[in-house]
Every structure is written in C-alpha cells, then in structure tokens.
Amino acid sequence: MLTLLVFLILGVDQALPQERRAPVTPSSASRYHRRRSSGSRDERYRSDVHTEAVQAALAKHKERKMAVPMPSKRRSLVVQTSMDAYTPPDTSSGSEDEGSVQGDSQGTPTSSQGSINMEHWISQAIHGSTTSTTSSSSTQSGGSGAAHRLADVMAQTHIENHSAPPDVTTYTSEHSIQVERPQGSTTSRTAPKYGNAELMETGDGVPVSSRVSAKIQQLVNTLKRPKRPPLREFFVDDFEELLEVQQPDPNQPKPEGAQMLATRGEQLGVVTNWPPSLEAALQRWGTISPKAPCLTTMDTNGKPLYILTYGKLWTRSMKVAYNILHKLGTKQEPMVRPGDRVALVFPNNDPAAFMVAFYGCLLAEVVPVPIEVPLTRKDAGSQQIGFLLGSCGVTVALTSDACHKGLPKSPTGEIPQFKGWPKLLWFVTESKHLSKPPRDWFPHIKDANNDTAYIEYKTCKDGSVLGVTVTRIALLTHCQALTQACGYTEAETIVNVLDFKKDVGLWHGILTSVMNMMHVISIPYALMKVNPLSWIQKVCQYKAKVACVKSRDMHWALVAHRDQRDVNLSSLRMLIVADGANPWSISSCDAFLNVFQSKGLRQEVICPCASSPEALTVAIRRPTDDSNQPPGRGVLSMHGLTYGVIRVDSEEKLSVLTVQDVGLVMPGAIMCSVKPDGVPQLCRTDEIGELCVCAVATGTSYYGLSGMTKNTFEVFPMTSSGAPISEYPFIRTGLLGFVGPGGLVFVVGKMDGLMVVSGRRHNADDIVATALAVEPMKFVYRGRIAVFSVTVLHDERIVIVAEQRPDSTEEDSFQWMSRVLQAIDSIHQVGVYCLALVPANTLPKTPLGGIHLSETKQLFLEGSLHPCNVLMCPHTCVTNLPKPRQKQPEIGPASVMVGNLVSGKRIAQASGRDLGQIEDNDQARKVRTEFLFLSEVLQWRAQTTPDHLLYTLLNCRGTIANSLTCVQLHKRAEKIAVMLMERGHLQDGDHVALVYPPGIDLIAAFYGCLYAGCVPITVRPPHPQNIATTLPTVKMIVEVSRSACLMTTQLICKLLRSREAAAAVDVRTWPLILDTDDLPKKRPAQIYKPSNPDTLAYLDFSVSTTWMLAGVKMSHAATSAFCRSIKLQCELYPSREVAICLDPYCGLGFVLWCLCSVYSGHQSILIPPSELETNPALWLLAVSQYKVRDTFCSYSVMELCTKGLGSQTESLKARGLDLSRVRTCVVVAEERPRIALTQSFSKLFKDLGLHPRAVSTSFGCRVNLAICLQGTSGPDPTTVYVDMRALRHDRVRLVERGSPHSLPLMESGKILPGVRIIIANPETKGPLGDSHLGEIWVHSAHNASGYFTIYGDESLQSDHFNSRLSFGDTQTIWARTGYLGFLRRTELTDANGERHDALYVVGALDEAMELRGMRYHPIDIETSVIRAHKSVTECAVFTWTNLLVVVVELDGSEQEALDLVPLVTNVVLEEHYLIVGVVVVVDIGVIPINSRGEKQRMHLRDGFLADQLDPIYVAYNM
C-alpha cells in the first residue's frame, strides 16, 4: 500500500480521455492561453488537473442541463449594489489585472404586463371546483396603501378549502381561464398591478416577461431530478418525529493497512557553540559583533529604511527591560514584575521596534503577548483579542511612537478602551522616551528554563482567541531544531515576507536568526501590495540564502514577473513555503518553479513546511544539494479522503487531490497520527488522522484554560489494544494528514477547515479550490472566498461566500454560481447549502488581508452580511428530513365506543349553560316570552322607555358625533320603511344592501328593513381613495345577495355613480339606489310582523381568509337566541354601558353593534375602528371616560394600540386614563387566539389599571357567529402548551412551558349559553376523546340556517349545517365549523359548580397546509419566520404546487433583503422540518389584511402568481 504513495504526476493531461475534456473553441482557447500567460489566476489553488477535472464535470452537467430559475430582483437593488463606490479589495487580488470585462447591457425596460384574461366573479358559488382554483383575481389592491383597506377583497366565492393546488406542470402563462359569471354577462378585464410592477427587471435591464409561474415551473422541474438514494434508518429526535440518520454506504472505502508506528525525527545534535538561552545569544553577538547587521527594514518604495545592528539591539533591549521593570508604577509598587504579561502592539511595517521590545521583555523576564494593532473600536476579532488580554491579566501595552500616534483618540487625547479590552497603560518603547539604565544595572541572564517565554495568540474556528504559552526551554529548543533542519550558519542573509509577530515569521525572522547572528531583510505587507516582486528583488540584491514566503507571495510574484529582466535566484539555497500544509500550495510551488527555473531557481530549494500555533514547526522539507531526488507527491482520491482513507486515484481522474510532502519530522520529535474524534487511537497506515507530536519544542498550554489544554497538549495516543504508545504526552497539531514512506509527512487539510456533512469529511480548502477552478473567473475575486459550515437540522451545511466584481451582470454571476454548485456536487459529491456573493471589499478582513472566517460566518448567521446574490440549495443537501407521514386507517366505531368513552377517554363534548334554566328578571322574561322578533322589542322599548339612550357614536376627537334613543331609532326606522315601500316598491322578503360607514345610519337602516319586511345585508362601503380595488367587492356582494335595492348616504351615492366607479365596475347594472339622507315625513300604515320565527331576518356576508365570499342566513329565531345568549353571558342590562370598537359588517361585530342594545337595553358606545388611525388612544380614552366595564375590539385595533401607544403610557396616565374598571375586554375573532398580542397588550396597559384577567378572546365562524365569549362569571381563560410536532400529526401532546417545540394555546373564552360542542374526526365524522385534535362541531339555537347561494348546492349545505356523527349520538344535528381544536376538562369549576371544559382553537382546516403528509398551520411557520430577523415585520406563507412560499415584509434598507433568504430557510427547516421553496421579500404593507386583522393569504398568492407584488427580491431555493 505504502509504496503506491510515492509517485510523480507525469502528464496527467495526456491521461485524461479525450471526450472528457471541456471542449475548447478556438476563441476561448486563445483567451485561455492569453489569460494563462499573464498568470492572473490565483496560483495558490490552481492545479491544471483540477481545473480540467472541473471543466469535464461541468461538461457532463451540460448534457443534462436543467434550467434553474434566476432570482428576481427589484431594479433599485441591482443598481445600488453594482454602483457601490468601487475600490479593488486590498488583498490577494491587489495586483491581478484581469482585463475588466464590460457588461454590455442592452435591453430596454419594457413593461411586462402579465395580463391574464380572467373573470373575477364566482364559479359554482360556494364550493371549491378544481377549475376555479387556478383562476387568479383581477380585484387587486394598491400595494402599500393601508393594508387593512385591502380589506375583504376577493376573487372567488367558495368556502371549501382550495383543494390540492393545480400542478403547475399544466399551467402555462398564456392559459386564460374564463369563469362563468351570474347573469351571463362576461366582460374581461386586465388585472391591475399591485404597485409599480412594470419596473421588475433583471440585473442588466432585461425585462422579466417570464411570469412567476414559469419560474416556479422551472424550480419544480429542477426538483424532479433524481435525488440521492433515500436513507433507511432513523434516530429519534426526542419524540416520535423521526429524522433520517445517515446510513453507512456499504461500498464506502475502509482502511485496510496495518497500524502505523510513531515516526522519530533525527537526533537533535547540541552543537558546542549553541548558546544556553536566546538572551545569552543576544548578549554574545551584541558584545562581540556589535556592528553586524541584524535586521533591515524597507519603506514602501523598497528602499532600506533602517538597519538594526546586533549592538543596537542589545543596548536598546536592555534599556526597554530596565524601563519596564523600574519606571512603571512606584519603587514600592512596580506595575510590572518578572513573570507578568505585557501586550506588544506594533504595526506590520516596524519589525525593528517589535524586535527591541520582544527582547526587552525576555531580558526583563516578563512575558510578551504580541497582538495586532486595533485600528478601530470594531475591528473583526478585536473584541476576542481583548478577552485574551483580560484573561492574561495584561495591564501594560508596549508600542511604537508612530503606532501610538495612529491609535484612535478621544477628544481629550486619551486612547479609548476598545470593546472587550481591559484598561491598558500604553508605553512607547522608542529610545528617546526611555531613561538610561544605571551603569551597574545588568539584566539577569539565566539558562533556558520552564518559565513562560512568550504567548502567541491563535484564532479558533469559532472566532475565539486563545493564547498558546511557549516556555523558554521550548523556545530555545525550537530555534536549535530549526537551525539543524534548515542548516543555518552564522551571518547568512534571510528575506522574510511573513508576519514577524507570530508563526513561521516570528520563529525564523526574529528568534532563530538571532541565535545564529543572521541578517534578516524584512519586507512589509504594504510594500508587497505596491510591488509584489519586491521580495525577489531583495533576494537578488542581497544574494540571500533563505527566503520565508507564503504561496500567496509566490503567486503575486508570478503575476508581476513579466516586467522583470535581471532576476537571478541562484543564491537561494532554501525557499521556505510557510503554508505548505495547505495541500493546494503545491500548484503555486509548481508554477513558480516553472517560471523561475530559467532564472536560477533549483527545484530542491523549495521547502514547504507545516506548522501550528500549538506544536510550532511540525515538519519541514530539508534543503538538499541533490537535484536528482524529486520531492514526494501523492495523487489521492477525494472520495476516499472524505471517508478518511488514503486511496491512490487510478480510474476516476476527476476528483483527485495532489499533495506534496512537507518534509520530515523535526529533529528531536516523535510523530504519529490519531483518529480525529473520540479516543486518540493510532491510525492505520492508509488512514488520514490528526498529526500529533511529542517534543520539547512545542507550546505547553492554552493560557488559563486547563480543560482545553488537557485535550490538546496532553494526549496519550493508544494502540488498537488500548495501550498508550508512550509515557510522554503528545500534542495535537490541528493538521490532518499521514506519514508516508521514508518518513515523509503529508498534510491534506486542517481540523479547523473540516466540515463533516452526513458523516463524510470535506475540507474547506478543497471546496475553495473547486470553486476557483470554475471558469470564467472574472465575476468574483480570487482569494476572497470564504467556505464554512453552519449547523441546520442536526447536520453541517456548507456555505460559500465570495466577493463579486462590480462589473459583473446578474446573469453572469448567477451562471457562475450555478456552475460552482454543479462542480462541487460532481467532484466532492456534496451539496452546497448556500452560495452568496457580496459586493467588493465588504467581507471582514484579518490584519494581513485574508478573510476573517468566523466573523464572516457570524455575519451570515445574524443576517448582516448584505449579499447581492444568494443561491440556496436546501433541496439537494438536506437529506435527513423526517419521512413523509403515511395516514393510518382509522379504527372502526365498534372497537372504540363504550358509553361516553372513546378509546378509554371521555368523549370531547361540552356545553354552555342551559338557556331554559336561567331565571331572568320580569322585564327580561317579557322580552323573551312575548316578543319573538327584534322589531317588536324595539317598538316595545320605544313605548316603555322612549328616552332611554341606546347608541352613542364617537368621532376621532372623542366627542359625541351622534346618538339615538329608543324612540328616535323607532321613528327613523319607520321613515326608512315608508321609503322602501313607496320609493322602492319592495315586497316583503326582498333583499336590501345597506352600504354605510360604521355609525348610526346603518342601525336605523337595518331596523327600517325589518319594519318593511325586507331582508337587510350590511356591506362595507368602497374606500374613496381605493375605489378600483374595493368597489368590485361591493358590487359582487350586491349581486350575489340578489339585492333588489341599495340604501346608502348621499356621499356614497355619488361615489357609486362617479367616473372612478365606472372605471372599476359596470355602474349601469346597479339596482335601485336609495339615499336615506332625504327621508319621507310620514309613518307606515303598519309595521311588518313576520309570520314565522324561522323566516329570514338578515344575511351575513363575509370574506374568509382563504378569500371566499360566503353569505349565511340568520333567521328571526336564531337572531333572538343569539342576543339572549350574549345578554346572559355578559350580564347586559339597560343600566350598563358597553364600548364597541369593531367593524359592523359581519359576524359578532355586526350583532354587537346593531342588535344587542335593542334586545338588552344597554347603551352601546360606538367607536369606528377607522377613527383610531388618526387618534390611536380614542378607544381606551372612551373606555376610561365612560367608566365602561365591558368592551369589545378586534385584533387590528389591539395591535394599533400596542404599536401606536407603546411609548405613550406615561402621558396617557397623566391625562387621567384609567382602565381599572374594565371587567371584560374581548377580542372578537374567528381564529386561534393571538396570545403574544393579547399578552403584550395586557403588559403594556397594566400600569393604567388594566387587569390581565380582563383580556380574553371570543370565537365564531360562518356556521355560528359566536360560539365562545368570555363572560363576567366563570374562571379565567387558561393557557396550555402543546407540542407543535404532535399537532402536525393531528395529535395533542401537552408539554411544560418552555420545552422545545412548545406552542402556547389560550382558551377562546367560555362557551355561550345554549351552545353545545363536540370534537369530531373531520374525515370519519366519529367523536373524539378529551384532549384529542379534531374538528369543532356546534349545536345551538343561534346556528345560521345555511349558506345563501344562487345555485343552491345541497350537498355542501347539508354537510356544513346538518351533519351527524358516524357513531355514538347519531341523532343530534350539528354544524361543522371548519376549525380544528380540542376540548380539555380543567380543574377549575364553572358558575354552576361543574368542572370547566376549555375549548382551544388550533386553526382553520381550509387554511392548513398539507405538506409531506403532515398538517401545518400557516401562523406557526409565520411566527418562526418573524422571529428570525429584526427586519421582518410581517410574514405570510402559502403553498403552490407543493412548494412552500414564504412572503416577508422588510422593515429596513433593500440591502438587507437577501440576508433574510438563508435565515428564513434555516428557521423553517429547524423548527418545522420543511424546505422553503420560494422566499419573497416585499415592502411593508404588501401582505393584505382584512378588517378583522386576518391575513388574506390566498389574495396574496394570486397577486404573487400574477406578478403584482413588485417584490424587492424573489429567491427560488433549489
């Protein structure tokens, strides 16, 4: 096996089969050669073999090319990102001159009118036919207008759930759908836009004529591709919900070699003249050769700036040592004592000052901690450095004069405390600022011992900074080992390009050089940026024997070398490549040798080395004189490497990693490799492991962190039998690799760059290399690519972030991104979770210009990366989702039903108090027994209490706008009745539409209709500023309800006939319009009395959240029963006052506004919700002023108060607002209680006297307008916590508060008197047990008597209003609410002494989404998404062709839009196990909300599919 590993790559180019190569057209070939000759590619990661492999892989992909939908971006977003002030990043791309390619953008913006010709009226009235679901509405809303105005606008009028959405595969954008319209008239209209949708274009101005649905079609097609084979086994995620767990691949390669043996380096030969310590060496050279040059520094022009001799270094370090010890603090209390830690803060262009300070510390026996210069208070990673200084107890920072002047200062001239840093005394080390030591003072120079010499900082994968302590003996031994391995001799010249504060640059350029009296030429980073050839010029100029560089410096030299004539590198005996441990450095080495061999560079001179902060130098290739012995190479299968196995790649040439050796183990050290995780067990010979070293010359600990130190610095490798291989501890180097034949060390990656995805290991550097091999590279900057992994849903996911060039177009970048994904998929067989491009120069940098990885990852996770392009591929890489749920056949009735038990549980049924048993007072009994009709009650009140005030209407200033007493209402109703009979010529039973603003007129008109025997229908008037979208709704209700007449005010009357109205609807087809501002003066001959209580009293029309219009019939008997039920629950009497802030057009809102006062005689204070827009405090001030005990509002009103008055509670208190008398504050709703909103409302107004127990909700629906309502007596509403994952399986599992996946549910008020409830299985219609989730069925005297429909569909009617259980009590007739919920018997007692049954509403069946066989409620996903990022203000989700679409409203700059895409995808995966198909980012106010504050998701869906949302960004997840 091992012999296979020593081989040379020869002509792999020829080895590739011809047809596998990417076809090279003549033009592209010449371009290829031109670019190659200019050397402008990042040679660090370049390997011809790899590039060719990537091209071949992409060519394969081309054959089965899939169109991937491109994201849509708003024009403003495109312009902003590409025109950001462009400065080339000062990094490795600094001197690349890749001919900037001008994006020639043709294409003029043409308006993309996706005009679908379709009818917006109803199809088969009230039931869901499959054809109508595809149709999209033309009554759209004006984008960002007041959202609630989008009010109850709708496209179709059906009530059943949208059955399965049509498969988009049959949906073409030309497909126009004609829907039949009542009365047979068909006029076709173009769908108006939602905002300025015409401006939607792609990056370079190409209009988006492709409709959204076409893009979704593309997405669906790409997702139909065969996935990876499904996985078999599961692990349990603390619940029965099963996530797939990766099955080991039976064909995966396994290590087969024998157990490896530890490898020893050669003996460390202590030469006689080696000094006993480094300070002793400095003393020797400083006294016997004071004129010998020690260090030459360069300015940015490449001219020598300063030469530090050994004499000066010795005297100045002594001076620094004396001043540190004697001049800080007082004689009695010195600030720094031997053994204390001090920070060294020196810029990268001043090695001389650093060197003096470093040796000064060694002489003073204090411990230097070299760190980077903090440029601003918010440098990437600077805070973590502060933590390190704090934990090391640093109080003094040594710095140079120039650096001290450059630090940020406060106005008083003090250096501010940097974020996270301890308080520091800044001490300047320039000689002129220091006192001369006395003649008799000498530093105490000891032999090297185990005291700490210095601390080197190390940044971990997660961004935290640790300090590695190096003892004096380790420091000396390391210098000796390097001297021996590199063959250093006295007075040699060495050119150092590396950072001299740490790592290889410090070890060779500051420490070992002094031990051997060498001369170091230091090249600052700033000079390299200006002149990348400077280091080569200095090698020639000084005839240097050694140079220390990184592969980046070799690459830069290649880019610039063509201008250079007289380069001669024959003096070099050793070119140390510091980052030789990066396997991709081999390409830089080869390319550099290739070009400079003709300039005197010998192959054997290139010496890659491997190092780590913990183990110092791990291995280094020795310089030899023998040019015939080629260096070791290995071509390894990448597939094998992902399983940690070494396989020499033979057949599949596509995915290989070519590695070069980094030489032999260091002198005096022992090396082995151990398994990277778990027990440190020795690897086999053909296995990749973490290299471990046992030597004196290593770090000894992480300062102050004993636990981490033990895991890293005190490792005892074991054999397979469990015996340790040595009594001495080994140190983990953090490098992954193996020891090959001949003791050569090979490194294939770093532990820090390791990403374990589905059990396979991938190295970040390898992924970077593949991305960089994707041609053409002109869209992103090489060397500015970050690869890291984030944990989502119990596995690591790969994220790639790159900086995009400002001149690349959207199409180009997107094309490149898709090719990168395909290349990585082919070569590494791993999916990329997210690929993001950010504008040039925006990624956080390390001090030497690299990318600060952990900071980039942090920005990505918190949504502050601000990418300009994002491509998410969760579909390909998330393979551990739970299995889609299979529905189990239900158990039959016989086996489950015993008496009142189902499956051993009490049947879930409950009822309010019995109406018959409650004793009223005489007056109330009279109302109940003598009067069957509300019209009679009003007449009776007008006679007995004519001046009793029934209604008070407030305006926005809180003053009374209008009021009605019993007799005023009666008289007004009489006049309206006369008008209907005389001017309208209406018969009894005719339908009349009442189109009024919320107020008194509406109430009078309603009773006028009852007096005339007509059937009233209340309709919200059109919004004057938004006629185009609101008037068609009015028209539809008038037509569907078959209204013979329309009554309204004079103002609205004009509006209905205006020119704007004519543009929106056909105004000639309005029925008779009566204006009630001008009433006849006479009374009717008689007031109509219905013949039968079961005749129709009024019609209640409402638009559901699924955007259906449904009208229900309310009989006189039901209306009276309804009023009585509310009267009893809320204890309403004529002496009471009730404040109502609701819309009076449907449901309980209408009943409370118009009917209850007449029935119960209490005074209603009416507050139109629209008035709160100008005065948010109006409702609460009225409640306080009128000392109201009971008040009703909607969620939109509560939200308005919570958001609008949040900061004003103090000033409201000062105005005397007092809510302490409020006994019940009920939110009228037809949904699951919004517990977060009610709680924040309670908390906010608690200081104003509001009792938290007063706030509650009600629940009603179409079949019964009020089922629950928290009354005055009875226990407080209870809250339970259920497991959200169980709910998806239609199960209820109660959990503790705060447990994972818990969802709080609040009881929806108490069940009203006379109402019975049972929970039934919606499919089988069988009764369910206590605490089981099912459909809520209701039986009550105030159930509606059916839908009002033109077509009279009997099946739906009987199913919704006349259902019977399939077993158990099969006689009772129930109405189905269409809502899922459960009943739970509590420990509390009701008013009648029984145990209290609480009803919890979970959500509407027709809103629920069936995904992966599970039932999801949109609100749960939306709640998670809103929590994901501070800029998300609102969210709505819906499905389209089984894709989950998430629409988020962005409150922030458009630059943040793309940050939301990964965060939204992550949170939905983590919390709901769903993959988001499309993420749509829109402006605030685009998600339509109706008057009850409910989201109109279907309306939004239709707007999205018709391209009418004008989104900021649409991302299609792959």
Coordinates of all heavy atoms in Angstrom, one line a residue, residues 151-175:
A151 N -58.9 45.1 2.6 CA -60.0 44.5 3.2 C -60.5 43.3 2.5 O -59.8 42.6 1.9 CB -61.1 45.6 3.4
D152 N -61.8 43.2 2.6 CA -62.4 41.9 2.2 C -62.5 41.9 0.7 O -63.6 42.0 0.2 CB -63.7 41.7 2.9 CG -63.5 42.0 4.4 OD1 -62.6 41.4 5.0 OD2 -64.2 42.8 4.9
V153 N -61.4 41.9 0.0 CA -61.5 41.8 -1.5 C -61.3 40.4 -1.8 O -60.6 39.7 -1.2 CB -60.3 42.6 -2.0 CG1 -60.5 42.8 -3.5 CG2 -60.2 43.9 -1.3
M154 N -62.0 39.9 -2.9 CA -61.8 38.5 -3.1 C -62.0 38.2 -4.6 O -62.4 39.0 -5.4 CB -62.9 37.7 -2.4 CG -64.2 37.9 -2.9 SD -64.7 39.6 -2.8 CE -64.8 39.8 -1.1
A155 N -61.5 37.0 -4.9 CA -61.6 36.6 -6.3 C -62.7 35.6 -6.5 O -63.5 35.7 -7.4 CB -60.3 35.9 -6.7
Q156 N -62.8 34.6 -5.7 CA -63.8 33.6 -5.9 C -64.7 33.6 -4.6 O -64.3 34.0 -3.6 CB -63.3 32.2 -6.1 CG -62.2 32.2 -7.1 CD -60.8 32.5 -6.5 OE1 -60.8 33.1 -5.5 NE2 -59.8 32.0 -7.1
T157 N -65.8 32.9 -4.7 CA -66.7 32.9 -3.6 C -66.9 31.5 -3.2 O -68.0 31.0 -3.2 CB -68.0 33.5 -3.9 OG1 -68.5 32.8 -5.0 CG2 -67.9 34.9 -4.3
H158 N -65.8 30.8 -2.9 CA -66.2 29.5 -2.4 C -65.6 29.3 -1.0 O -64.8 30.1 -0.6 CB -65.7 28.3 -3.2 CG -64.4 28.5 -4.0 ND1 -64.0 27.7 -4.9 CD2 -63.6 29.6 -3.9 CE1 -62.9 28.2 -5.3 NE2 -62.6 29.3 -4.8
I159 N -66.1 28.3 -0.3 CA -65.8 28.3 1.1 C -65.0 27.1 1.5 O -64.3 27.1 2.4 CB -67.2 28.2 1.8 CG1 -67.1 29.4 2.7 CG2 -67.4 27.0 2.6 CD1 -68.3 29.6 3.6
E160 N -65.1 26.0 0.7 CA -64.3 24.8 0.9 C -62.8 25.2 0.8 O -62.5 26.1 0.1 CB -64.7 23.7 -0.1 CG -65.8 22.9 0.4 CD -65.4 21.9 1.5 OE1 -65.2 22.4 2.6 OE2 -65.3 20.7 1.2
N161 N -62.0 24.3 1.3 CA -60.5 24.6 1.1 C -60.2 24.5 -0.4 O -60.8 23.7 -1.1 CB -59.7 23.7 1.9 CG -60.2 22.3 1.9 OD1 -61.3 22.1 1.4 ND2 -59.5 21.4 2.6
H162 N -59.2 25.3 -0.8 CA -58.7 25.2 -2.1 C -58.2 23.7 -2.1 O -57.3 23.4 -1.5 CB -57.4 26.1 -2.2 CG -57.8 27.4 -2.7 ND1 -57.9 27.8 -3.9 CD2 -58.1 28.5 -1.9 CE1 -58.2 29.1 -4.0 NE2 -58.3 29.5 -2.8
S163 N -58.8 22.9 -2.9 CA -58.4 21.5 -2.9 C -56.9 21.5 -3.3 O -56.3 22.6 -3.4 CB -59.2 20.7 -3.9 OG -59.4 21.6 -5.0
A164 N -56.3 20.4 -3.6 CA -54.9 20.4 -3.9 C -54.6 21.4 -5.0 O -55.3 21.5 -5.9 CB -54.5 19.0 -4.4
P165 N -53.6 22.3 -4.8 CA -53.3 23.3 -5.8 C -53.0 22.6 -7.1 O -52.5 21.5 -7.2 CB -52.1 24.0 -5.3 CG -51.6 23.2 -4.2 CD -52.6 22.3 -3.8
P166 N -53.4 23.2 -8.3 CA -53.2 22.6 -9.5 C -51.7 22.4 -9.7 O -50.9 23.2 -9.3 CB -53.7 23.6 -10.5 CG -53.6 24.9 -9.8 CD -53.9 24.6 -8.4
D167 N -51.3 21.3 -10.4 CA -49.9 21.1 -10.7 C -49.5 22.1 -11.7 O -50.1 22.2 -12.8 CB -49.7 19.6 -11.2 CG -48.3 19.3 -11.2 OD1 -47.5 20.1 -10.6 OD2 -47.9 18.3 -11.8
V168 N -48.4 22.8 -11.4 CA -48.0 23.8 -12.4 C -47.6 23.3 -13.7 O -47.5 24.0 -14.6 CB -46.8 24.6 -11.8 CG1 -46.7 25.9 -12.4 CG2 -46.9 24.7 -10.3
T169 N -47.3 22.0 -13.7 CA -46.8 21.4 -15.0 C -47.8 21.7 -16.1 O -47.4 21.7 -17.2 CB -46.6 19.9 -14.8 OG1 -47.6 19.4 -14.0 CG2 -45.3 19.7 -14.1
T170 N -49.1 21.8 -15.8 CA -50.0 22.0 -16.9 C -50.4 23.5 -17.0 O -51.3 23.8 -17.7 CB -51.3 21.3 -16.6 OG1 -51.8 21.8 -15.3 CG2 -51.1 19.8 -16.4
Y171 N -49.7 24.3 -16.3 CA -50.2 25.7 -16.2 C -49.3 26.6 -17.1 O -48.1 26.7 -16.8 CB -50.1 26.2 -14.7 CG -50.7 27.5 -14.5 CD1 -52.0 27.6 -14.2 CD2 -49.9 28.7 -14.5 CE1 -52.6 28.9 -14.0 CE2 -50.4 29.9 -14.2 CZ -51.8 30.0 -14.0 OH -52.3 31.2 -13.7
T172 N -49.7 27.1 -18.1 CA -48.9 27.9 -19.0 C -49.3 29.4 -18.8 O -50.4 29.7 -18.4 CB -49.0 27.6 -20.4 OG1 -50.4 27.9 -20.8 CG2 -48.7 26.2 -20.7
S173 N -48.4 30.3 -19.1 CA -48.7 31.7 -18.8 C -49.7 32.2 -19.7 O -50.3 33.3 -19.4 CB -47.4 32.5 -18.8 OG -46.8 32.3 -20.0
E174 N -49.9 31.6 -20.9 CA -50.9 32.2 -21.8 C -52.3 31.7 -21.4 O -53.3 32.3 -21.8 CB -50.7 31.7 -23.2 CG -49.4 32.2 -23.9 CD -48.2 31.4 -23.4 OE1 -48.3 30.1 -23.5 OE2 -47.2 32.0 -23.0
H175 N -52.3 30.6 -20.6 CA -53.6 30.0 -20.3 C -54.6 31.0 -19.7 O -54.4 31.4 -18.7 CB -53.3 28.9 -19.3 CG -54.3 27.8 -19.2 ND1 -54.5 26.9 -20.2 CD2 -55.2 27.6 -18.3 CE1 -55.4 26.1 -19.8 NE2 -55.9 26.5 -18.7

